[in-house]
Amino acid sequence: MSKIAQGIKVYYDTDKNKPNIVFLSDETVKYYPDGGMLFEFIDDEVIYMMTEKLQNRVRLYPNNNDPLTVESITECFSEWLYYTLDEEDKPVATEIFRSSFSESIHRVLENENAMQKCSTVGEFMSACCDDFLSYMKAFSLFFDALAAEASGEADVFQTEIADIFKSSADDLYEIYKKKCSVRHKNGMTQVETHNITNPIQLLDFEYSRLKKHNKSVKICQNCGRYFIPPKRNDTVFCQMPSPQNEEKTCREIGPQIKRNEKRKNDPNELEHHRKMSSIRMGILRAKNGGEDQLLPGLRKMLEIEKKRYSSATDYNDNK
Ligand SMILES: [Zn+2]
């Protein structure tokens, strides 16, 4: 069986302000910033189509009981599964789904053990689907581990997974960190492009390009969504509307929410809150009762508590 889906071809420059240029199979061209293709690929709807919808379509193919032949495989893929993901505004995800699934078909065809268990096209496609989903699972594990590590939140398992990914991606980094060559010959212009046909290759590419520009995908500490800090890589909050208040971004309200959370759980914060309220109440009562002679003492207590608190905590939010 010939490959029906060839994936995408990418051209990029060394200038980090220039987008990556993606050549699609219909000969159109799209522009993506670093990480842009990755974010299109992990879109909730796209992931749903490549997993649950795909499994449903494999099950519901009308000719599932057809005997296994090159023709029946080609027909099932090119006329049925090919359209599992067919989104005009998600061209990269669409192409990579198709080329990655056709790679799964080739892998299963070459696997004698798996082939012995298949006599119908339905059984065969179900094996291909399992193979494709195992690739998707590996992709998700790597992606998540890298983001957790970049956010300083990786557990032992994620650190190990991130290391496994990096040890292979770092070889590719040597290739991806250089710009694509452009040659002029006999009045023709030839540009070098890199072919990406599956999710892991996409992750290799984006990881390398982000690394080259000192960037990485991180997990927002307020909403938990993935994001790429636009400038400083130590940013911990994203710039999307926050779940708490749609009119404000996580970056705007994240710090305050973190402080409030810390206050709720931290015994030192609770103690401080309690003491400060009690002293302030004392000042109010003294003022209202005309007992001005008590005020200097109470104000002194306020200062002492502020000092105790700021030395007991690594930040001072008490001004
Ligand atoms: Zn966020």
Side-chain angles (χ1 to χ4, degrees), residues 220 222-225 237-240 243 250:
C220 173
N222 183 47
C223 69
R225 285 175 289 198
F237 299 112
C238 77
Q239 273 184 328
M240 286 181 282
C250 286

Side-chain angles (χ1 to χ4, degrees), residues 37-48:
M37 293 192 283
L38 207 48
F39 275 76
E40 179 181 301
F41 196 79
I42 61 158
D43 175 85
D44 285 346
E45 214 180 317
V46 168
I47 295 288
Y48 162 77

Side-chain angles (χ1 to χ4, degrees), residues 15-30:
D15 182 348
K16 66 177 171 186
N17 297 314
K18 284 191 185 163
N20 301 315
I21 303 175
V22 179
F23 298 91
L24 301 163
S25 62
D26 63 0
E27 297 190 348
T28 57
V29 171
K30 291 269 191 285

Side-chain angles (χ1 to χ4, degrees), residues 16 20 32-42 143 146-147 150-151 202-203 205-221 223-240 250-251:
K16 66 177 171 186
N20 301 315
Y32 284 82
D34 286 332
M37 293 192 283
L38 207 48
F39 275 76
E40 179 181 301
F41 196 79
I42 61 158
F143 180 86
L146 288 171
S151 314
L202 178 65
L203 190 58
F205 175 82
E206 295 277 45
Y207 164 80
S208 302
R209 297 303 297 163
L210 288 167
K211 181 179 170 179
K212 164 87 182 156
H213 299 139
N214 293 319
K215 288 184 172 193
S216 52
V217 175
K218 295 178 77 172
I219 300 167
C220 173
Q221 282 198 9
C223 69
R225 285 175 289 198
Y226 299 115
F227 74 108
I228 299 173
K231 287 195 187 101
R232 292 172 55 121
N233 210 19
D234 58 357
T235 308
V236 297
F237 299 112
C238 77
Q239 273 184 328
M240 286 181 282
C250 286
R251 181 140 337 142

